[in-house]
Amino acid sequence: MLESNQRTCRRMVSLHAAASAAALLALTTWCHPCRADVGDFAPCIDFFYSTWPPKGLPGVPICQRYLNKFRFASLYSRPRRAPWFSAYVFTPPAGRRPKEEWKYEPQLAYAKADGNMVPFSPGKVDQNVVESQAVQLDYINSSYTRGHLNPSLHHQDLQDKESTFTLTNVVPQKLGSNDGPWAWLEKHVSQLLTKHCKGHSYIVTGVIPYQTDRWLKGDRVAVPEYLWSAYCCPNYNKNLPVKLANTFPTFAAIGRNDPNSTEEVVPIDRGVRKEFWGYDVRLMPLATLEMYLQQRFGTVFTVFYNRCSEP
């Protein structure tokens, strides 16, 4: 009887160990996509033309993941608590703008956290999140809107649209820019690429800082002086209207975020509506944009591999 009980006990222990090992294996497999999405663009390299991220700026790469799928990429500045740029593949838009549900990047707060962006919960925000990135309170009563770098307008899929509502994809942007000339630029680019681009379109949108940094709420989130954007469409309609001949395969723009900035980079159109005065957008070749970026950053900054031309 004793031997029988011992054999039964050993069998139960063995079964329990096997079950635990199987559970651990299943957990490991399920968590495979939970490996760090912060610090390396490798998991989301396809959001860049020729799988080549922009070069020249220091920052933290983020593969922005929502509902276990990579949606776009951002280069994030920890000291500024804001992105330098976001990069994504444009798709002809469809559907309405989704309901705003703002999110944050948990891996900036905890290195071993799940990589999916997380909606802010009501109530007090975890202090590690507050210290590592922007939070809702930073923008409330600040006189700045949450300005998307990767806009929901440039996507078809509802979940892709929803994923753009994360504070690691926005910067402080004045309402006159966000609802005015910059909104026009986003629609203009959408119409151009939808009509004339035959394959993938790659877009990178970023910021140009003030020469002396300005901040929200003391030193919480850095405010940009300008926003910039550039697209790359390698395969496009060769029978373009004459007025669009120089806008493919790539083109760019810089937009004002401060009506009091000087006019060397972007002149002011004094004939526009009062609420949009001083928030002009200047369209320009990619080479001109890169010249201004080099001047402000003090380093060569390259947006697209080979300026969006195959070697």
Side-chain angles (χ1 to χ4, degrees):
M1 179 66 70
L2 180 60
E3 286 187 3
S4 177
N5 286 343
Q6 288 176 336
R7 283 196 299 269
T8 301
C9 184
R10 284 195 297 269
R11 191 179 302 116
M12 290 176 65
V13 170
S14 182
L15 289 171
H16 177 74
S20 297
L24 181 61
L25 178 60
L27 182 62
T28 304
T29 303
W30 182 84
C31 282
H32 178 69
C34 302
R35 64 191 176 195
D37 303 327
V38 169
D40 189 1
F41 280 138
C44 58
I45 200 69
D46 289 339
F47 292 119
F48 302 99
Y49 168 66
S50 198
T51 64
W52 195 88
K55 310 294 184 184
L57 288 181
V60 180
I62 300 178
C63 287
Q64 301 274 15
R65 184 149 57 89
Y66 177 57
L67 299 178
N68 277 324
K69 180 180 177 181
F70 293 120
R71 309 288 174 166
F72 61 102
S74 300
L75 184 68
Y76 185 79
S77 170
R78 289 185 186 273
R80 301 172 65 82
R81 295 189 182 90
W84 284 122
F85 65 74
S86 286
Y88 56 98
V89 176
F90 169 84
T91 52
R96 297 181 179 181
R97 178 186 172 100
K99 180 181 177 181
E100 292 185 1
E101 185 182 41
W102 290 101
K103 308 169 189 68
Y104 66 94
E105 173 52 65
Q107 289 190 9
L108 290 175
Y110 298 97
K112 295 183 179 180
D114 180 276
N116 286 290
M117 58 182 72
V118 178
F120 285 98
S121 300
K124 188 176 180 180
V125 180
D126 183 289
Q127 189 60 28
N128 279 16
V129 175
V130 173
E131 292 175 1
S132 65
Q133 58 202 282
V135 296
Q136 296 276 62
L137 190 61
D138 293 325
Y139 284 88
I140 295 174
N141 298 324
S142 71
S143 83
Y144 286 89
T145 66
R146 302 167 183 85
H148 282 72
L149 297 185
N150 171 12
S152 65
L153 173 67
H154 286 181
H155 301 279
Q156 282 185 356
D157 181 79
L158 176 60
Q159 292 178 354
D160 285 346
K161 290 175 180 286
E162 291 172 343
S163 73
T164 66
F165 289 86
T166 173
L167 294 190
T168 51
N169 177 50
V170 304
V171 296
Q173 186 177 11
K174 282 293 189 179
L175 182 64
S177 169
N178 204 355
D179 282 4
W182 197 259
W184 170 85
L185 175 69
E186 291 175 345
K187 293 177 183 176
H188 176 66
V189 168
S190 176
Q191 292 167 354
L192 274 182
L193 297 180
T194 298
K195 186 173 183 178
H196 299 292
C197 196
K198 293 182 177 180
H200 283 323
S201 305
Y202 302 88
I203 299 181
V204 183
T205 300
V207 299
I208 300 177
Y210 285 93
Q211 291 180 328
T212 301
D213 279 335
R214 300 187 187 184
W215 301 84
L216 290 188
K217 306 291 178 77
D219 61 353
R220 281 293 304 164
V221 185
V223 177
E225 186 173 13
Y226 301 95
L227 281 76
W228 61 267
S229 187
Y231 65 76
C232 165
C233 169
N235 185 14
Y236 58 93
N237 176 15
K238 297 304 189 289
N239 297 316
L240 290 168
V242 174
K243 65 180 181 180
L244 298 179
N246 295 323
T247 62
F248 284 88
T250 186
F251 211 55
I254 296 178
R256 301 173 62 94
N257 197 35
D258 186 343
N260 297 313
S261 293
T262 59
E263 299 184 53
E264 289 86 353
V265 178
V266 183
I268 294 175
D269 179 358
R270 287 162 172 76
V272 301
R273 290 164 51 182
K274 182 178 179 180
E275 62 265 39
F276 301 143
W277 190 92
Y279 296 109
D280 305 74
V281 168
R282 175 185 167 190
L283 303 179
M284 62 187 67
L286 178 63
T288 304
L289 167 65
E290 291 180 339
M291 176 192 73
Y292 284 118
L293 293 176
Q294 179 175 347
Q295 288 177 357
R296 183 57 58 94
F297 288 113
T299 185
V300 175
F301 183 75
T302 306
V303 180
F304 297 117
Y305 172 75
N306 205 31
R307 288 190 173 156
C308 191
S309 297
E310 293 293 348

